[in-house]
Amino acid sequence: MRSFLLLILSCMYQSISSFVISPCLIPAIRIHTAQYSSWDDFADLGDDDLLDDEYASENDSKEYKAAIGSKFEAPDLEWQGDPISVLPGTSLPLTEENIQGLLQACRQEIETVFGYSAENRGVGITGGVDFVELDGPSVVLRLKGRFWHERSTVLTRVANYLQQRCPEIVDVTVDDEWQLSDEANRAE
């Protein structure tokens, strides 16, 4: 340590006395050669299936999108109960029925994320969300269909909705991690 300090002081003295920066204060310069790839191995990824002509454009009228979307089936609803529409900050107890009702209200409130309306299905959004089970303070859901948003974003939005109304929920997950993949979005 002492020899290191002496080296630093000696370099500083040399630079002050001669008004030039001593080479010992300049870090070594490494030159890297950039290597660029060519487009020779470029191939179509085949992931343009959401852009097929069978769907409407997001800029089309609501009526046209709904007409196109009516050709596609809405995601199945496994629970037919009434929505529980409450404000964020409400403290509902953690029960299966409350989660099902909140999830039903969530489908309506952030409806543009899901394919429950013909208009959304008309532009290729066919995704849905179902309750699977309560695992202690964790809610387990299932995502199905196609979403425009990343599936992890959809899950985060649903989780946020549920947790703001039922603070006992510690975590919201899916029953199979594959459901959060891009592959799952293309497969359905």
Side-chain angles (χ1 to χ4, degrees):
M1 177 75 173
R2 189 175 202 188
S3 60
F4 177 73
L5 289 174
L6 289 174
L7 177 66
I8 296 290
L9 289 173
S10 121
C11 289
M12 288 174 54
Y13 175 74
Q14 288 176 2
S15 64
I16 293 171
S17 64
S18 62
F19 295 100
V20 284
I21 297 174
S22 169
C24 70
L25 293 178
I26 300 174
I29 299 173
R30 293 187 173 99
I31 299 174
H32 296 280
T33 306
Q35 296 180 6
Y36 299 99
S37 62
S38 70
W39 288 92
D40 295 338
D41 59 350
F42 179 76
D44 181 16
L45 299 176
D47 60 354
D48 294 335
D49 60 338
L50 291 180
L51 303 176
D52 291 336
D53 291 334
E54 62 186 274
Y55 295 112
S57 163
E58 64 184 281
N59 298 320
D60 288 333
S61 71
K62 289 182 178 186
E63 294 79 18
Y64 180 71
K65 288 188 268 189
I68 296 293
S70 65
K71 299 176 188 176
F72 302 101
E73 248 183 76
D76 291 332
L77 288 174
E78 296 178 5
W79 189 74
Q80 299 298 324
D82 293 327
I84 299 175
S85 299
V86 294
L87 295 173
T90 304
S91 188
L92 290 175
L94 181 58
T95 65
E96 185 175 321
E97 188 169 318
N98 283 345
I99 298 306
Q100 291 276 26
L102 286 172
L103 194 56
Q104 187 75 346
C106 177
R107 290 180 187 113
Q108 294 172 0
E109 191 164 320
I110 59 173
E111 69 181 340
T112 57
V113 173
F114 304 110
Y116 296 108
S117 75
E119 182 182 343
N120 291 353
R121 291 190 309 276
V123 293
I125 303 171
T126 61
V129 60
D130 289 323
F131 173 81
V132 175
E133 67 179 347
L134 275 179
D135 184 14
S138 296
V139 175
V140 181
L141 302 175
R142 178 174 297 123
L143 297 178
K144 58 188 179 185
R146 293 185 195 161
F147 297 94
W148 269 8
H149 299 85
E150 287 185 11
R151 286 171 161 244
S152 60
T153 302
V154 173
L155 182 64
T156 300
R157 290 187 68 184
V158 172
N160 186 37
Y161 186 92
L162 295 174
Q163 288 172 320
Q164 284 182 352
R165 289 153 180 86
C166 185
E168 290 180 56
I169 298 172
V170 173
D171 194 21
V172 178
T173 62
V174 289
D175 62 338
D176 182 357
E177 288 295 318
W178 180 80
Q179 294 172 24
L180 298 178
S181 71
D182 289 337
E183 182 182 339
N185 207 40
R186 287 189 294 269
E188 299 186 41

